[in-house]
Amino acid sequence: MPWNKLPPTSTRLDRRLFGYMAAALVPLAALAFLFSYSDHLRRAEEGHSNFVDYARLIGQSSAKVMARAEGYASALSARDATALTDCGALFESMRGELREAVRLDVSVADRTICTVALRSGRVTVIRPGEADVPEDRVLPVFRENKETGVGIRIGLRPQTLLIAPIEATGANNNVGFALVDDKGLVVASHMADAAENKSFLNLVSSLDLNKETQTSFARSEGNWYVGVATLTGTRYRIVTASRPSETQLEPWLSIAKALLLPLMLLAVVFVVLRYGIQRFLLRYLRHIYATFRRYGSGETGARVGMLATAPPEINILGMTFDMMADRIEHRTKDLETSLSEQRRLTRELHHRIKNTLQMITSLLVMQRRDAKESSEKAVLRVALERVLSISAAYRISYASNEGTDVSIEALVREVVESLREPARVSQGKVRIHVAEMAHLAIDLDRAIPLAFILAELLPPRFDCLQPGETIKVEVRGGDKILILISGASQIEDVLDEFEDETPLRSRLVRAYLSQLSATCTIDGETTRLEMPKASLY
C-alpha cells in the first residue's frame, strides 16, 4: 500500500491529533502576534521621533557648506583686483574645493568685472553688458574688502546643500526635507516618496515660521510631525516632516511578520506528523527511489534487497522490483548472446564474400596476363576494376567493428589504391585530401554504389595522366558530401545521356547515382560528385 494512502482509521487519528495540536498552538500564535505587532509600533515611533535630529544634522552640514563658501569668498576678496580678471580660472579652481558653487560674481567698487555661471553642465563666462538670465535659483554668499573695494559673490545650488547631508545621515523614504528662506518660500526640497511630495510641499507653504523665535522645535501639524532647525548664521531654515506611524504602517506586512513564528510551529508539527509518526516510511522510500535511479542510469545490478524492519507493503514493493530486475537481466543476457551470434555470422558472411571477390580478382588478373590482344586486355581490365571496387568496400566494412558501416575517407583511399595498380600509376601521382567535416560513415548498401562510381570515373583519368601531372581527390563535408576529382589535363570525359546509344559506363553511373540520390557533373578536367547528407548516419 502506498505510503500516502493509509487505512481510514489511521488517517482519522492523524487528523484528530493534528487538530488538537493546532488548537493548542492558537493562544501561542495570538501572543506571538501581539508581541510582534507592539514591537513593530515601538520601532516605528522611535524612528519618527528622530526626524527632528535629522533636521539639526542637515542644518549643521549645510551651515558648514555656507561657512566654507564664506571663507572662500573672503579669501578671494583679499586678493588684488588685477589677479581676479580671469574669472573662468577662478571658478574652475573654486569648483575643485566647493562643488556646491554654481555661480561667481567679481566686482570692484560696486562695478561688476565678470560673472561665471555653470549652465547645463558647462562653464559660461558673462562679460559686463551681456544679458544674464540665471537658470536656477542660487543661495548667495557675499564678502567685500573695504580697503580694496573687491567684492566676491558666490552662488550655491540649494538642492546640493540639502541632498548631500540627507544621503550622509541615511534619511528614509517617509521623511521630507525642505530649505525655506525668510519669506517662507521653498528654495529646495527632497522627499523620496513621490506620492507624498505634493502634500509635503503644501504643508511647508502653510507654515508661518516668522512667528517662531526658537532655532529648532517640533510639533504636530494635522497628520504630520513637523521639525524646524535654523541654519546658523543665515536666514534659511530646514523643515522636516513625517506622517504619524498610524498612516505609515503597512498592516498586512506587520501581520505576516507577527504570524511567521506560529506558522513555522504549525509547519513543524505537520512535518512531524506526516514524516515522523507514520512509521518512518520516508527513509525506506528514499532507499527504493535511489535504487530506481541507479537502475535507470544503467546500473543493472542495483537491487533493493530485504527491508526486514520496513512495513510489509514497502518490503513487498522492494521484492517485486528485485524480481522484475532479475527477469530483465536474464532476458538481456539472452538477447546479447543472440546478437553476438548474429554478428559473428554476419562477419563470417562478409569474410566469405571478401575471399570470393579476392578469388575472382586473382582469376581476372591471371586471365588478363595471359591475354594476347590489347582489346581483350582492356575488357578484362574494366571487369577487374569493377570487382576491385566492390572488394575495397567489403575490406573496409570487414575491418570495422560492426561490419556494416564504411568510412567514406577509408573507402575513397582503398578504392584509389586498388585502381591505381592496374593502371600502373605510382602512388605519388594521386593525392587525397579529406576535410575535417567529411570524417563520416556510410552503410555498406550505399558504399558499394559509391565504389562503383569511383571505378568508372578514376581509370579514364589514370590513362590520360601526362608526365608531371597529378590527380587530386578531395572529400568535403557539411550539409552535403562533396567529392571533387581533378587533374589529367588531356581528359575529355563525358557521361552520355542519349538513350539509344548510351554506353554501359554511363548507364552504370546513372544507376548508381540514382541509388545514392546523388548528382555528378563534369566541367573540363574537374568532376563533381555530390551526395545528400540524409543518406548518411
Side-chain angles (χ1 to χ4, degrees):
M1 183 182 298
W3 67 274
N4 60 346
K5 294 185 179 179
L6 300 176
T9 304
S10 177
T11 303
R12 286 197 297 269
L13 180 61
D14 289 343
R15 290 178 178 175
R16 188 181 305 170
L17 181 60
F18 182 81
Y20 289 156
M21 297 188 69
L25 287 173
V26 168
L28 180 61
L31 184 62
F33 173 76
L34 290 177
F35 277 122
S36 299
Y37 189 81
S38 59
D39 181 69
H40 184 80
L41 290 178
R42 179 183 58 79
R43 285 186 282 111
E45 291 293 340
E46 289 178 355
H48 290 291
S49 64
N50 294 329
F51 78 99
V52 177
D53 294 335
Y54 282 136
R56 294 193 185 97
L57 290 174
I58 293 174
Q60 293 172 3
S61 300
S62 301
K64 291 179 181 179
V65 175
M66 299 284 287
R68 284 196 295 116
E70 291 173 356
Y72 203 94
S74 298
L76 290 179
S77 63
R79 295 184 183 182
D80 187 74
T82 59
L84 302 176
T85 56
D86 191 356
C87 292
L90 287 176
F91 183 80
E92 293 288 352
S93 176
M94 178 183 65
R95 286 275 297 168
E97 299 182 16
L98 194 65
R99 300 297 299 176
E100 297 84 359
V102 293
R103 186 179 176 93
L104 172 66
D105 293 270
V106 180
S107 61
V108 177
D110 296 332
R111 182 174 61 85
T112 301
I113 297 178
C114 62
T115 300
V116 183
L118 186 67
R119 294 179 178 176
S120 301
R122 299 181 60 181
V123 177
T124 303
V125 179
I126 304 171
R127 299 299 178 184
E130 294 183 5
D132 180 14
V133 181
E135 290 187 353
D136 300 314
R137 186 172 184 181
V138 297
L139 297 181
V141 175
F142 180 73
R143 285 294 182 270
E144 183 179 8
N145 192 325
K146 300 295 185 181
E147 298 178 1
T148 61
V150 175
I152 302 295
R153 185 183 301 274
I154 298 176
L156 303 177
R157 180 182 287 123
Q159 196 71 15
T160 59
L161 293 179
L162 195 63
I163 294 179
I166 290 173
E167 294 176 349
T169 55
N172 56 46
N173 294 343
N174 298 321
V175 182
F177 301 84
L179 181 65
V180 183
D181 60 12
D182 56 349
K183 297 180 181 179
L185 298 178
V186 177
V187 179
S189 65
H190 174 81
M191 189 168 194
D193 189 355
E196 292 286 350
N197 188 49
K198 185 175 181 181
S199 300
F200 168 67
L201 293 178
N202 292 335
L203 170 69
V204 175
S205 300
S206 63
L207 297 176
D208 189 2
L209 300 178
N210 294 326
K211 295 182 179 180
E212 297 291 341
T213 58
Q214 299 178 352
T215 58
S216 61
F217 60 90
R219 65 171 181 240
S220 296
E221 290 285 341
N223 59 347
W224 290 84
Y225 286 140
V226 178
V228 179
T230 302
L231 267 67
T232 305
T234 68
R235 52 190 177 85
Y236 298 97
R237 295 188 180 187
I238 297 292
V239 179
T240 62
S242 175
R243 293 282 192 185
S245 59
E246 290 80 5
T247 59
Q248 296 175 6
L249 185 63
E250 299 179 3
W252 293 109
L253 181 60
S254 300
I255 292 174
K257 292 180 179 179
L259 291 176
L260 181 61
L261 180 60
L263 290 177
M264 290 178 61
L265 293 176
L266 289 175
V268 170
V269 172
F270 178 80
V271 170
V272 171
L273 286 176
R274 287 296 181 188
Y275 301 102
I277 299 176
Q278 292 174 8
R279 303 168 64 184
F280 303 99
L281 296 177
L282 192 58
R283 61 173 181 170
Y284 301 112
L285 293 176
R286 284 175 178 167
H287 172 66
I288 294 175
Y289 175 71
T291 305
F292 289 175
R293 290 287 300 271
R294 288 163 49 205
Y295 189 86
S297 63
E299 188 179 343
T300 56
R303 298 292 185 271
V304 175
M306 290 296 297
L307 301 176
T309 58
E313 296 84 356
I314 302 298
N315 194 16
I316 291 174
L317 177 62
M319 293 172 59
T320 302
F321 172 78
D322 290 346
M323 293 171 60
M324 178 192 68
D326 290 338
R327 287 197 298 269
I328 293 176
E329 184 177 6
H330 291 317
R331 290 184 180 180
T332 303
K333 289 181 178 179
D334 293 340
L335 291 174
E336 288 177 351
T337 302
S338 300
L339 182 59
S340 177
E341 180 65 18
Q342 182 181 0
R343 288 177 178 174
R344 187 188 67 80
L345 293 175
T346 302
R347 292 181 65 84
E348 180 66 22
L349 176 62
H350 286 316
H351 180 66
R352 291 179 182 273
I353 294 174
K354 183 175 71 70
N355 290 342
T356 303
L357 291 172
Q358 185 64 37
M359 184 182 300
I360 296 173
T361 301
S362 301
L363 292 174
L364 289 173
V365 170
M366 289 187 295
Q367 186 69 30
R368 184 188 177 204
R369 189 182 304 135
D370 294 339
K372 303 300 183 182
E373 300 292 334
S374 59
S375 60
E376 184 180 357
K377 288 185 177 182
V379 171
L380 291 173
R381 176 189 167 186
V382 172
L384 177 61
E385 289 170 344
R386 290 168 180 168
V387 174
L388 285 174
S389 64
I390 302 176
S391 180
Y394 270 98
R395 280 199 304 274
I396 298 300
S397 175
Y398 184 74
S400 65
N401 293 329
E402 298 295 333
T404 56
D405 295 342
V406 178
S407 169
I408 292 182
E409 177 183 0
L411 176 64
V412 171
R413 294 184 183 278
E414 188 71 19
V415 171
V416 170
E417 187 65 22
S418 299
L419 298 177
R420 184 180 55 80
E421 294 180 2
R424 291 183 173 85
V425 176
S426 62
Q427 189 174 7
K429 294 292 186 178
V430 183
R431 297 181 181 178
I432 302 175
H433 175 71
V434 181
E436 183 178 355
M437 296 292 294
H439 296 285
L440 299 174
I442 188 173
D443 61 280
L444 184 59
D445 292 338
R446 297 180 181 274
I448 293 175
L450 179 57
F452 271 132
I453 294 175
L454 294 176
E456 300 296 337
L457 296 177
L458 289 173
R461 292 185 178 273
F462 290 159
D463 295 339
C464 297
L465 196 61
Q466 300 296 318
E469 292 183 341
T470 58
I471 293 178
K472 182 178 180 182
V473 181
E474 185 176 0
V475 183
R476 300 178 183 174
D479 295 336
K480 295 182 179 181
I481 297 300
L482 179 64
I483 300 177
L484 295 174
I485 305 173
S486 59
S489 60
Q490 300 298 324
I491 190 171
E492 295 181 0
D493 193 14
V494 293
L495 294 177
D496 245 336
E497 298 184 0
F498 296 103
E499 219 173 281
D500 297 335
E501 302 177 0
T502 303
L504 177 61
R505 173 174 177 268
S506 296
R507 294 201 303 269
L508 289 175
V509 172
R510 297 299 177 190
Y512 302 147
L513 291 174
S514 177
Q515 292 183 32
L516 295 174
S517 299
T519 59
C520 181
T521 57
I522 299 175
D523 184 11
E525 64 177 45
T526 302
T527 301
R528 180 186 182 95
L529 177 61
E530 192 170 0
M531 298 170 52
K533 197 173 181 180
S535 64
L536 302 175
Y537 294 153

